[in-house]
Structures are given as C-alpha cells and as structure tokens.
Amino acid sequence: MTKRPLDILDQVLNGEPVIVSLKGDRELRGVLQGYDVHMNLVLDKAEEVTDGAAQKIGTLIVRGDNVIYISPSGN
C-alpha cells in the first residue's frame, strides 16, 4: 500500500530532528512535536540555520503556508 504524506510525518514525530525549508530562503531544524492537515508545525528544540550556523529558538509554531519541504536532518 502506498504511504500518504501525513503517514510519513507520523514516522518522524517526536523522533529524530527534521529540517524545514521555508519561503524566504529560511531553514529550521528541530524535533517535530505535532502538525495538522494545513502543515502547521510544532517544533521543539528549534534552531534557525543560516550559513551553517545555528541560532537556538526553542519551541516554535510554524504556519503551514510558509513550508516548502520537511526532511529528516540526517544527524
């Protein structure tokens, strides 16, 4: 059976960090704590990654219409 996108997100929920690419050339890294069908995300231990340097943010809610993609971080 083919997996649905939300099924794949369930696999990384509360697990390894993910990388979230946003509009405006921004990139976040953090642990996915929750999401909804609009792709609104809750990230814990969130960091904004700029030119390889990470700035710690903490817990963050990301509005879904800004999300370009979500990927496992590979850490």
Side-chain angles (χ1 to χ4, degrees):
M1 183 171 170
T2 304
K3 291 185 178 182
R4 298 174 303 162
L6 297 180
D7 293 337
I8 295 170
L9 284 180
D10 278 340
Q11 293 177 351
V12 297
L13 198 62
N14 300 312
E16 66 180 86
V18 294
I19 294 173
V20 180
S21 179
L22 303 175
K23 292 179 183 177
D25 236 6
R26 297 180 72 187
E27 188 173 276
L28 301 171
R29 181 174 48 216
V31 178
L32 184 63
Q33 295 292 309
Y35 61 90
D36 65 13
V37 296
H38 303 288
M39 207 53 64
N40 296 315
L41 309 173
V42 178
L43 294 177
D44 193 28
K45 301 177 186 171
E47 304 173 323
E48 182 170 8
V49 181
T50 308
D51 298 324
Q55 177 184 356
K56 294 186 185 293
I57 298 172
T59 302
L60 184 66
I61 298 173
V62 180
R63 186 177 165 111
D65 63 352
N66 290 309
V67 175
I68 296 173
Y69 70 80
I70 304 170
S71 172
S73 71
N75 286 349

Short mmCIF file of all heavy atoms in Angstrom, two decimals:
data_model
loop_
_atom_site.label_atom_id
_atom_site.label_comp_id
_atom_site.label_asym_id
_atom_site.label_seq_id
_atom_site.Cartn_x
_atom_site.Cartn_y
_atom_site.Cartn_z
N MET A 1 0.84 -1.18 0.00
CA MET A 1 0.00 0.00 0.00
C MET A 1 0.88 1.25 0.00
O MET A 1 1.88 1.32 0.70
CB MET A 1 -0.90 -0.02 1.23
CG MET A 1 -1.85 1.11 1.30
SD MET A 1 -3.01 0.81 2.67
CE MET A 1 -3.78 2.36 2.70
N THR A 2 0.53 2.23 -0.76
CA THR A 2 1.28 3.47 -0.84
C THR A 2 1.07 4.30 0.41
O THR A 2 -0.05 4.42 0.90
CB THR A 2 0.82 4.28 -2.08
OG1 THR A 2 0.97 3.48 -3.23
CG2 THR A 2 1.65 5.54 -2.23
N LYS A 3 2.17 4.88 0.92
CA LYS A 3 2.06 5.71 2.11
C LYS A 3 1.60 7.11 1.72
O LYS A 3 1.95 7.63 0.66
CB LYS A 3 3.42 5.81 2.80
CG LYS A 3 3.84 4.52 3.42
CD LYS A 3 5.11 4.70 4.20
CE LYS A 3 5.51 3.40 4.86
NZ LYS A 3 6.70 3.55 5.66
N ARG A 4 0.81 7.69 2.60
CA ARG A 4 0.35 9.07 2.41
C ARG A 4 1.36 10.00 3.09
O ARG A 4 2.05 9.60 4.02
CB ARG A 4 -1.03 9.25 3.01
CG ARG A 4 -2.08 8.38 2.34
CD ARG A 4 -3.41 8.46 3.03
NE ARG A 4 -3.23 8.08 4.43
CZ ARG A 4 -4.08 8.35 5.40
NH1 ARG A 4 -5.19 8.99 5.14
NH2 ARG A 4 -3.86 7.97 6.64
N PRO A 5 1.46 11.26 2.65
CA PRO A 5 2.42 12.19 3.26
C PRO A 5 2.28 12.31 4.78
O PRO A 5 3.29 12.34 5.49
CB PRO A 5 2.11 13.52 2.56
CG PRO A 5 1.56 13.11 1.24
CD PRO A 5 0.78 11.85 1.51
N LEU A 6 1.05 12.36 5.28
CA LEU A 6 0.88 12.50 6.73
C LEU A 6 1.31 11.24 7.47
O LEU A 6 1.78 11.32 8.61
CB LEU A 6 -0.55 12.89 7.08
CG LEU A 6 -1.02 14.24 6.55
CD1 LEU A 6 -2.45 14.52 6.97
CD2 LEU A 6 -0.10 15.36 6.99
N ASP A 7 1.22 10.07 6.82
CA ASP A 7 1.72 8.83 7.42
C ASP A 7 3.23 8.89 7.59
O ASP A 7 3.79 8.43 8.59
CB ASP A 7 1.36 7.61 6.57
CG ASP A 7 -0.14 7.35 6.52
OD1 ASP A 7 -0.86 7.78 7.45
OD2 ASP A 7 -0.58 6.70 5.55
N ILE A 8 3.90 9.47 6.61
CA ILE A 8 5.36 9.59 6.68
C ILE A 8 5.76 10.55 7.79
O ILE A 8 6.72 10.31 8.53
CB ILE A 8 5.93 10.03 5.30
CG1 ILE A 8 5.67 8.91 4.28
CG2 ILE A 8 7.41 10.35 5.39
CD1 ILE A 8 5.94 9.28 2.86
N LEU A 9 5.02 11.64 7.96
CA LEU A 9 5.32 12.57 9.05
C LEU A 9 5.13 11.90 10.41
O LEU A 9 5.87 12.17 11.35
CB LEU A 9 4.44 13.82 8.96
CG LEU A 9 4.84 14.84 7.90
CD1 LEU A 9 3.87 16.02 7.94
CD2 LEU A 9 6.26 15.31 8.09
N ASP A 10 4.15 11.00 10.51
CA ASP A 10 3.95 10.27 11.76
C ASP A 10 5.19 9.48 12.17
O ASP A 10 5.47 9.31 13.35
CB ASP A 10 2.77 9.30 11.64
CG ASP A 10 1.43 9.98 11.85
OD1 ASP A 10 1.39 11.07 12.45
OD2 ASP A 10 0.42 9.41 11.39
N GLN A 11 5.95 9.00 11.20
CA GLN A 11 7.15 8.21 11.48
C GLN A 11 8.25 9.03 12.14
O GLN A 11 9.04 8.50 12.90
CB GLN A 11 7.69 7.58 10.20
CG GLN A 11 6.78 6.53 9.63
CD GLN A 11 7.31 5.98 8.31
OE1 GLN A 11 8.27 6.49 7.75
NE2 GLN A 11 6.67 4.93 7.82
N VAL A 12 8.33 10.32 11.86
CA VAL A 12 9.38 11.17 12.44
C VAL A 12 8.89 11.98 13.64
O VAL A 12 9.66 12.68 14.27
CB VAL A 12 10.01 12.12 11.40
CG1 VAL A 12 10.71 11.34 10.31
CG2 VAL A 12 9.00 13.07 10.82
N LEU A 13 7.60 11.85 13.96
CA LEU A 13 7.02 12.59 15.08
C LEU A 13 7.72 12.21 16.38
O LEU A 13 7.86 11.03 16.69
CB LEU A 13 5.53 12.28 15.15
CG LEU A 13 4.65 13.22 15.95
CD1 LEU A 13 4.68 14.62 15.35
CD2 LEU A 13 3.22 12.72 15.96
N ASN A 14 8.18 13.21 17.14
CA ASN A 14 8.86 13.03 18.42
C ASN A 14 10.12 12.18 18.32
O ASN A 14 10.51 11.56 19.29
CB ASN A 14 7.91 12.42 19.47
CG ASN A 14 6.72 13.29 19.72
OD1 ASN A 14 6.84 14.49 19.91
ND2 ASN A 14 5.53 12.70 19.68
N GLY A 15 10.72 12.13 17.17
CA GLY A 15 11.91 11.30 16.97
C GLY A 15 13.12 12.13 16.62
O GLY A 15 13.44 13.11 17.29
N GLU A 16 13.76 11.75 15.53
CA GLU A 16 14.96 12.46 15.09
C GLU A 16 14.61 13.85 14.59
O GLU A 16 13.48 14.09 14.16
CB GLU A 16 15.67 11.67 14.00
CG GLU A 16 14.88 11.56 12.71
CD GLU A 16 15.61 10.77 11.65
OE1 GLU A 16 15.48 9.54 11.66
OE2 GLU A 16 16.31 11.40 10.84
N PRO A 17 15.56 14.77 14.64
CA PRO A 17 15.28 16.13 14.14
C PRO A 17 14.95 16.13 12.64
O PRO A 17 15.37 15.24 11.91
CB PRO A 17 16.60 16.87 14.39
CG PRO A 17 17.29 16.09 15.44
CD PRO A 17 16.89 14.66 15.22
N VAL A 18 14.18 17.13 12.25
CA VAL A 18 13.85 17.33 10.85
C VAL A 18 14.36 18.70 10.41
O VAL A 18 14.59 19.59 11.23
CB VAL A 18 12.32 17.25 10.59
CG1 VAL A 18 11.80 15.85 10.87
CG2 VAL A 18 11.56 18.27 11.40
N ILE A 19 14.53 18.86 9.12
CA ILE A 19 14.88 20.15 8.53
C ILE A 19 13.63 20.65 7.82
O ILE A 19 13.00 19.91 7.06
CB ILE A 19 16.04 20.03 7.54
CG1 ILE A 19 17.31 19.62 8.29
CG2 ILE A 19 16.25 21.35 6.79
CD1 ILE A 19 18.47 19.31 7.38
N VAL A 20 13.26 21.89 8.09
CA VAL A 20 12.08 22.50 7.47
C VAL A 20 12.56 23.69 6.64
O VAL A 20 13.16 24.63 7.18
CB VAL A 20 11.06 22.97 8.53
CG1 VAL A 20 9.86 23.59 7.85
CG2 VAL A 20 10.65 21.81 9.43
N SER A 21 12.34 23.63 5.35
CA SER A 21 12.67 24.74 4.47
C SER A 21 11.45 25.63 4.34
O SER A 21 10.34 25.15 4.10
CB SER A 21 13.09 24.22 3.10
OG SER A 21 13.39 25.29 2.23
N LEU A 22 11.67 26.94 4.51
CA LEU A 22 10.57 27.90 4.47
C LEU A 22 10.74 28.88 3.32
O LEU A 22 11.85 29.09 2.82
CB LEU A 22 10.52 28.70 5.78
CG LEU A 22 10.38 27.90 7.07
CD1 LEU A 22 10.47 28.83 8.27
CD2 LEU A 22 9.08 27.15 7.08
N LYS A 23 9.64 29.50 2.94
CA LYS A 23 9.71 30.59 1.97
C LYS A 23 10.64 31.67 2.50
O LYS A 23 10.81 31.81 3.70
CB LYS A 23 8.32 31.19 1.75
CG LYS A 23 7.35 30.27 1.06
CD LYS A 23 6.01 30.94 0.91
CE LYS A 23 4.99 30.01 0.29
NZ LYS A 23 3.67 30.65 0.21
N GLY A 24 11.23 32.42 1.61
CA GLY A 24 12.13 33.50 2.02
C GLY A 24 13.53 32.99 2.33
O GLY A 24 14.30 33.63 3.03
N ASP A 25 13.86 31.80 1.82
CA ASP A 25 15.21 31.23 1.97
C ASP A 25 15.60 31.01 3.43
O ASP A 25 16.74 31.25 3.82
CB ASP A 25 16.23 32.13 1.29
CG ASP A 25 17.06 31.38 0.27
OD1 ASP A 25 16.75 30.20 0.02
OD2 ASP A 25 18.00 31.96 -0.27
N ARG A 26 14.65 30.57 4.26
CA ARG A 26 14.93 30.29 5.67
C ARG A 26 14.88 28.79 5.89
O ARG A 26 14.14 28.07 5.21
CB ARG A 26 13.91 30.98 6.56
CG ARG A 26 14.00 32.50 6.43
CD ARG A 26 13.02 33.20 7.29
NE ARG A 26 13.44 33.10 8.68
CZ ARG A 26 12.71 33.51 9.70
NH1 ARG A 26 11.53 34.05 9.49
NH2 ARG A 26 13.15 33.40 10.94
N GLU A 27 15.67 28.33 6.85
CA GLU A 27 15.72 26.91 7.16
C GLU A 27 15.72 26.71 8.67
O GLU A 27 16.46 27.39 9.39
CB GLU A 27 16.97 26.29 6.55
CG GLU A 27 17.02 24.80 6.64
CD GLU A 27 18.19 24.22 5.86
OE1 GLU A 27 18.03 24.03 4.64
OE2 GLU A 27 19.23 24.00 6.47
N LEU A 28 14.88 25.80 9.13
CA LEU A 28 14.78 25.48 10.54
C LEU A 28 15.12 24.02 10.76
O LEU A 28 14.92 23.19 9.87
CB LEU A 28 13.35 25.72 11.06
CG LEU A 28 12.78 27.11 10.92
CD1 LEU A 28 11.31 27.11 11.28
CD2 LEU A 28 13.54 28.08 11.81
N ARG A 29 15.63 23.72 11.96
CA ARG A 29 15.89 22.34 12.34
C ARG A 29 15.30 22.14 13.73
O ARG A 29 15.44 23.02 14.59
CB ARG A 29 17.39 22.06 12.35
CG ARG A 29 17.75 20.65 12.72
CD ARG A 29 19.24 20.38 12.56
NE ARG A 29 20.03 21.42 13.18
CZ ARG A 29 21.19 21.86 12.69
NH1 ARG A 29 21.67 21.38 11.58
NH2 ARG A 29 21.86 22.80 13.31
N GLY A 30 14.63 21.03 13.96
CA GLY A 30 14.06 20.76 15.28
C GLY A 30 13.32 19.44 15.30
O GLY A 30 13.22 18.75 14.29
N VAL A 31 12.82 19.09 16.48
CA VAL A 31 12.08 17.84 16.65
C VAL A 31 10.60 18.13 16.43
O VAL A 31 10.02 18.98 17.10
CB VAL A 31 12.31 17.26 18.07
CG1 VAL A 31 11.49 16.00 18.27
CG2 VAL A 31 13.79 16.99 18.30
N LEU A 32 10.01 17.42 15.49
CA LEU A 32 8.60 17.61 15.15
C LEU A 32 7.73 17.06 16.28
O LEU A 32 7.75 15.87 16.57
CB LEU A 32 8.28 16.90 13.83
CG LEU A 32 6.87 17.07 13.28
CD1 LEU A 32 6.60 18.55 12.95
CD2 LEU A 32 6.67 16.21 12.05
N GLN A 33 6.98 17.94 16.93
CA GLN A 33 6.11 17.55 18.03
C GLN A 33 4.66 17.38 17.59
O GLN A 33 3.91 16.65 18.22
CB GLN A 33 6.16 18.61 19.14
CG GLN A 33 7.51 18.72 19.80
CD GLN A 33 7.86 17.49 20.60
OE1 GLN A 33 7.07 17.04 21.41
NE2 GLN A 33 9.01 16.92 20.35
N GLY A 34 4.26 18.06 16.52
CA GLY A 34 2.90 17.96 16.05
C GLY A 34 2.72 18.69 14.73
O GLY A 34 3.56 19.50 14.34
N TYR A 35 1.61 18.40 14.07
CA TYR A 35 1.28 19.03 12.79
C TYR A 35 -0.21 18.85 12.55
O TYR A 35 -0.88 18.09 13.24
CB TYR A 35 2.08 18.41 11.64
CG TYR A 35 1.80 16.95 11.45
CD1 TYR A 35 0.79 16.53 10.60
CD2 TYR A 35 2.54 16.00 12.13
CE1 TYR A 35 0.51 15.18 10.44
CE2 TYR A 35 2.27 14.65 11.98
CZ TYR A 35 1.26 14.25 11.14
OH TYR A 35 0.99 12.93 10.98
N ASP A 36 -0.74 19.56 11.56
CA ASP A 36 -2.13 19.37 11.17
C ASP A 36 -2.22 19.26 9.65
O ASP A 36 -1.19 19.28 8.97
CB ASP A 36 -3.04 20.46 11.73
CG ASP A 36 -2.74 21.85 11.19
OD1 ASP A 36 -2.00 21.98 10.18
OD2 ASP A 36 -3.24 22.83 11.76
N VAL A 37 -3.42 19.13 9.13
CA VAL A 37 -3.60 18.93 7.69
C VAL A 37 -3.20 20.15 6.87
O VAL A 37 -3.01 20.04 5.67
CB VAL A 37 -5.05 18.51 7.34
CG1 VAL A 37 -5.38 17.16 7.94
CG2 VAL A 37 -6.05 19.56 7.78
N HIS A 38 -3.06 21.31 7.50
CA HIS A 38 -2.63 22.53 6.80
C HIS A 38 -1.11 22.67 6.82
O HIS A 38 -0.58 23.66 6.36
CB HIS A 38 -3.26 23.76 7.44
CG HIS A 38 -4.75 23.70 7.45
ND1 HIS A 38 -5.51 23.84 6.32
CD2 HIS A 38 -5.62 23.48 8.46
CE1 HIS A 38 -6.79 23.71 6.63
NE2 HIS A 38 -6.88 23.49 7.93
N MET A 39 -0.43 21.67 7.38
CA MET A 39 1.03 21.62 7.51
C MET A 39 1.55 22.66 8.51
O MET A 39 2.72 23.03 8.47
CB MET A 39 1.72 21.78 6.15
CG MET A 39 3.08 21.12 6.07
SD MET A 39 3.13 19.40 6.55
CE MET A 39 2.11 18.67 5.30
N ASN A 40 0.68 23.15 9.41
CA ASN A 40 1.16 23.93 10.55
C ASN A 40 1.96 22.96 11.40
O ASN A 40 1.55 21.82 11.62
CB ASN A 40 -0.01 24.50 11.36
CG ASN A 40 -0.83 25.49 10.57
OD1 ASN A 40 -0.29 26.35 9.88
ND2 ASN A 40 -2.14 25.35 10.64
N LEU A 41 3.13 23.39 11.86
CA LEU A 41 4.05 22.51 12.57
C LEU A 41 4.35 23.04 13.97
O LEU A 41 4.41 24.25 14.17
CB LEU A 41 5.39 22.41 11.82
CG LEU A 41 5.34 22.06 10.34
CD1 LEU A 41 6.74 22.18 9.75
CD2 LEU A 41 4.77 20.68 10.13
N VAL A 42 4.60 22.13 14.89
CA VAL A 42 5.15 22.49 16.20
C VAL A 42 6.52 21.83 16.27
O VAL A 42 6.64 20.60 16.16
CB VAL A 42 4.26 21.99 17.35
CG1 VAL A 42 4.91 22.35 18.69
CG2 VAL A 42 2.87 22.58 17.26
N LEU A 43 7.57 22.65 16.41
CA LEU A 43 8.94 22.15 16.52
C LEU A 43 9.46 22.43 17.91
O LEU A 43 9.30 23.54 18.43
CB LEU A 43 9.86 22.84 15.50
CG LEU A 43 9.61 22.58 14.03
CD1 LEU A 43 10.57 23.42 13.19
CD2 LEU A 43 9.76 21.12 13.70
N ASP A 44 10.10 21.44 18.50
CA ASP A 44 10.77 21.61 19.79
C ASP A 44 12.26 21.62 19.53
O ASP A 44 12.73 21.04 18.55
CB ASP A 44 10.39 20.45 20.72
CG ASP A 44 10.79 20.71 22.16
OD1 ASP A 44 10.84 21.89 22.56
OD2 ASP A 44 11.03 19.74 22.89
N LYS A 45 13.00 22.29 20.40
CA LYS A 45 14.46 22.42 20.24
C LYS A 45 14.79 23.00 18.87
O LYS A 45 15.74 22.60 18.21
CB LYS A 45 15.16 21.08 20.44
CG LYS A 45 14.91 20.47 21.80
CD LYS A 45 15.56 19.12 21.91
CE LYS A 45 15.17 18.48 23.24
NZ LYS A 45 15.60 17.08 23.32
N ALA A 46 13.98 23.96 18.43
CA ALA A 46 14.13 24.54 17.10
C ALA A 46 15.35 25.44 17.02
O ALA A 46 15.70 26.13 17.98
CB ALA A 46 12.88 25.33 16.72
N GLU A 47 15.98 25.40 15.85
CA GLU A 47 17.11 26.27 15.54
C GLU A 47 16.91 26.81 14.13
O GLU A 47 16.42 26.09 13.27
CB GLU A 47 18.43 25.49 15.55
CG GLU A 47 18.74 24.76 16.82
CD GLU A 47 19.96 23.88 16.68
OE1 GLU A 47 20.17 23.29 15.60
OE2 GLU A 47 20.70 23.79 17.66
N GLU A 48 17.30 28.06 13.92
CA GLU A 48 17.32 28.60 12.56
C GLU A 48 18.75 28.46 12.06
O GLU A 48 19.69 28.90 12.71
CB GLU A 48 16.89 30.06 12.52
CG GLU A 48 16.87 30.57 11.10
CD GLU A 48 16.22 31.94 10.96
OE1 GLU A 48 15.91 32.57 11.97
OE2 GLU A 48 16.05 32.37 9.80
N VAL A 49 18.89 27.83 10.91
CA VAL A 49 20.21 27.58 10.34
C VAL A 49 20.47 28.61 9.25
O VAL A 49 19.73 28.73 8.29
CB VAL A 49 20.29 26.15 9.76
CG1 VAL A 49 21.68 25.89 9.19
CG2 VAL A 49 19.92 25.12 10.82
N THR A 50 21.55 29.39 9.45
CA THR A 50 21.94 30.42 8.50
C THR A 50 23.42 30.27 8.20
O THR A 50 24.24 30.37 9.11
CB THR A 50 21.68 31.83 9.07
OG1 THR A 50 20.34 31.90 9.53
CG2 THR A 50 21.91 32.90 8.02
N ASP A 51 23.76 30.04 6.94
CA ASP A 51 25.15 29.87 6.53
C ASP A 51 25.90 28.87 7.40
O ASP A 51 27.04 29.09 7.80
CB ASP A 51 25.88 31.22 6.54
CG ASP A 51 25.28 32.22 5.56
OD1 ASP A 51 24.84 31.78 4.49
OD2 ASP A 51 25.25 33.42 5.89
N GLY A 52 25.24 27.77 7.74
CA GLY A 52 25.86 26.72 8.53
C GLY A 52 25.86 26.95 10.03
O GLY A 52 26.18 26.06 10.80
N ALA A 53 25.53 28.15 10.47
CA ALA A 53 25.48 28.46 11.90
C ALA A 53 24.04 28.36 12.39
O ALA A 53 23.11 28.80 11.72
CB ALA A 53 26.01 29.86 12.16
N ALA A 54 23.86 27.75 13.57
CA ALA A 54 22.51 27.55 14.11
C ALA A 54 22.26 28.50 15.28
O ALA A 54 23.09 28.61 16.18
CB ALA A 54 22.34 26.11 14.56
N GLN A 55 21.11 29.17 15.24
CA GLN A 55 20.69 30.04 16.34
C GLN A 55 19.52 29.35 17.03
O GLN A 55 18.48 29.09 16.42
CB GLN A 55 20.25 31.40 15.81
CG GLN A 55 19.73 32.31 16.89
CD GLN A 55 19.22 33.63 16.34
OE1 GLN A 55 19.32 33.90 15.15
NE2 GLN A 55 18.66 34.44 17.20
N LYS A 56 19.68 29.05 18.32
CA LYS A 56 18.65 28.34 19.07
C LYS A 56 17.43 29.23 19.28
O LYS A 56 17.56 30.40 19.61
CB LYS A 56 19.20 27.89 20.42
CG LYS A 56 20.29 26.84 20.29
CD LYS A 56 20.70 26.31 21.63
CE LYS A 56 21.85 25.37 21.54
NZ LYS A 56 21.58 24.13 20.89
N ILE A 57 16.24 28.64 19.08
CA ILE A 57 14.99 29.36 19.24
C ILE A 57 14.15 28.75 20.35
O ILE A 57 13.52 29.45 21.12
CB ILE A 57 14.18 29.37 17.92
CG1 ILE A 57 14.98 30.08 16.83
CG2 ILE A 57 12.83 30.03 18.11
CD1 ILE A 57 14.36 29.98 15.45
N GLY A 58 14.11 27.43 20.46
CA GLY A 58 13.28 26.75 21.45
C GLY A 58 12.06 26.15 20.79
O GLY A 58 12.14 25.62 19.69
N THR A 59 10.91 26.22 21.44
CA THR A 59 9.68 25.69 20.87
C THR A 59 9.09 26.72 19.91
O THR A 59 9.05 27.90 20.22
CB THR A 59 8.67 25.34 21.98
OG1 THR A 59 9.28 24.39 22.87
CG2 THR A 59 7.41 24.74 21.41
N LEU A 60 8.63 26.24 18.77
CA LEU A 60 8.21 27.14 17.70
C LEU A 60 7.01 26.56 16.98
O LEU A 60 6.92 25.36 16.75
CB LEU A 60 9.38 27.28 16.71
CG LEU A 60 9.28 28.23 15.56
CD1 LEU A 60 9.20 29.66 16.06
CD2 LEU A 60 10.48 28.08 14.66
N ILE A 61 6.07 27.44 16.63
CA ILE A 61 4.94 27.05 15.78
C ILE A 61 5.16 27.69 14.42
O ILE A 61 5.39 28.90 14.32
CB ILE A 61 3.60 27.52 16.38
CG1 ILE A 61 3.38 26.85 17.73
CG2 ILE A 61 2.45 27.22 15.41
CD1 ILE A 61 2.18 27.36 18.49
N VAL A 62 5.12 26.88 13.38
CA VAL A 62 5.37 27.35 12.01
C VAL A 62 4.06 27.28 11.24
O VAL A 62 3.42 26.22 11.19
CB VAL A 62 6.43 26.48 11.31
CG1 VAL A 62 6.68 26.97 9.90
CG2 VAL A 62 7.72 26.45 12.11
N ARG A 63 3.68 28.37 10.64
CA ARG A 63 2.45 28.40 9.83
C ARG A 63 2.67 27.61 8.54
O ARG A 63 3.66 27.80 7.83
CB ARG A 63 2.10 29.85 9.52
CG ARG A 63 0.78 29.98 8.81
CD ARG A 63 0.46 31.45 8.58
NE ARG A 63 -0.60 31.58 7.63
CZ ARG A 63 -1.81 32.02 7.93
NH1 ARG A 63 -2.08 32.40 9.16
NH2 ARG A 63 -2.74 32.11 7.01
N GLY A 64 1.74 26.73 8.23
CA GLY A 64 1.89 25.79 7.13
C GLY A 64 2.07 26.40 5.76
O GLY A 64 2.75 25.81 4.92
N ASP A 65 1.51 27.57 5.49
CA ASP A 65 1.66 28.13 4.15
C ASP A 65 3.06 28.67 3.88
O ASP A 65 3.35 29.08 2.76
CB ASP A 65 0.59 29.17 3.84
CG ASP A 65 0.64 30.39 4.73
OD1 ASP A 65 1.41 30.40 5.70
OD2 ASP A 65 -0.12 31.33 4.45
N ASN A 66 3.95 28.64 4.88
CA ASN A 66 5.35 29.04 4.68
C ASN A 66 6.26 27.85 4.41
O ASN A 66 7.41 28.03 4.03
CB ASN A 66 5.86 29.79 5.91
CG ASN A 66 5.22 31.14 6.03
OD1 ASN A 66 5.20 31.91 5.09
ND2 ASN A 66 4.67 31.43 7.20
N VAL A 67 5.77 26.64 4.60
CA VAL A 67 6.59 25.43 4.48
C VAL A 67 6.75 25.04 3.01
O VAL A 67 5.77 24.92 2.28
CB VAL A 67 5.97 24.26 5.27
CG1 VAL A 67 6.75 22.98 5.05
CG2 VAL A 67 5.90 24.60 6.75
N ILE A 68 8.01 24.85 2.61
CA ILE A 68 8.31 24.35 1.26
C ILE A 68 8.50 22.83 1.32
O ILE A 68 7.93 22.10 0.55
CB ILE A 68 9.55 25.03 0.67
CG1 ILE A 68 9.28 26.53 0.50
CG2 ILE A 68 9.94 24.38 -0.64
CD1 ILE A 68 10.49 27.33 0.09
N TYR A 69 9.34 22.37 2.28
CA TYR A 69 9.51 20.94 2.45
C TYR A 69 9.97 20.61 3.86
O TYR A 69 10.48 21.47 4.57
CB TYR A 69 10.44 20.31 1.40
CG TYR A 69 11.90 20.69 1.54
CD1 TYR A 69 12.74 20.07 2.48
CD2 TYR A 69 12.47 21.64 0.73
CE1 TYR A 69 14.07 20.42 2.59
CE2 TYR A 69 13.81 21.98 0.82
CZ TYR A 69 14.60 21.37 1.76
OH TYR A 69 15.92 21.70 1.87
N ILE A 70 9.81 19.33 4.23
CA ILE A 70 10.28 18.80 5.51
C ILE A 70 11.10 17.57 5.17
O ILE A 70 10.68 16.74 4.37
CB ILE A 70 9.11 18.39 6.43
CG1 ILE A 70 8.17 19.56 6.66
CG2 ILE A 70 9.62 17.84 7.74
CD1 ILE A 70 6.89 19.17 7.35
N SER A 71 12.29 17.47 5.81
CA SER A 71 13.18 16.35 5.51
C SER A 71 13.88 15.89 6.79
O SER A 71 14.17 16.72 7.66
CB SER A 71 14.23 16.83 4.51
OG SER A 71 15.22 15.85 4.32
N PRO A 72 14.17 14.58 6.93
CA PRO A 72 14.99 14.15 8.05
C PRO A 72 16.34 14.86 7.99
O PRO A 72 16.88 15.08 6.91
CB PRO A 72 15.16 12.64 7.82
CG PRO A 72 14.06 12.26 6.91
CD PRO A 72 13.76 13.48 6.08
N SER A 73 16.88 15.23 9.16
CA SER A 73 18.11 16.03 9.17
C SER A 73 19.36 15.21 8.90
O SER A 73 20.38 15.76 8.52
CB SER A 73 18.26 16.77 10.50
OG SER A 73 18.55 15.85 11.53
N GLY A 74 19.31 13.91 9.16
CA GLY A 74 20.48 13.10 8.93
C GLY A 74 21.49 13.14 10.05
O GLY A 74 22.60 12.67 9.91
N ASN A 75 21.12 13.72 11.20
CA ASN A 75 22.04 13.78 12.37
C ASN A 75 22.09 12.45 13.05
O ASN A 75 21.21 11.73 13.19
CB ASN A 75 21.60 14.85 13.36
CG ASN A 75 21.90 16.24 12.85
OD1 ASN A 75 22.59 16.41 11.87
ND2 ASN A 75 21.38 17.22 13.53
#
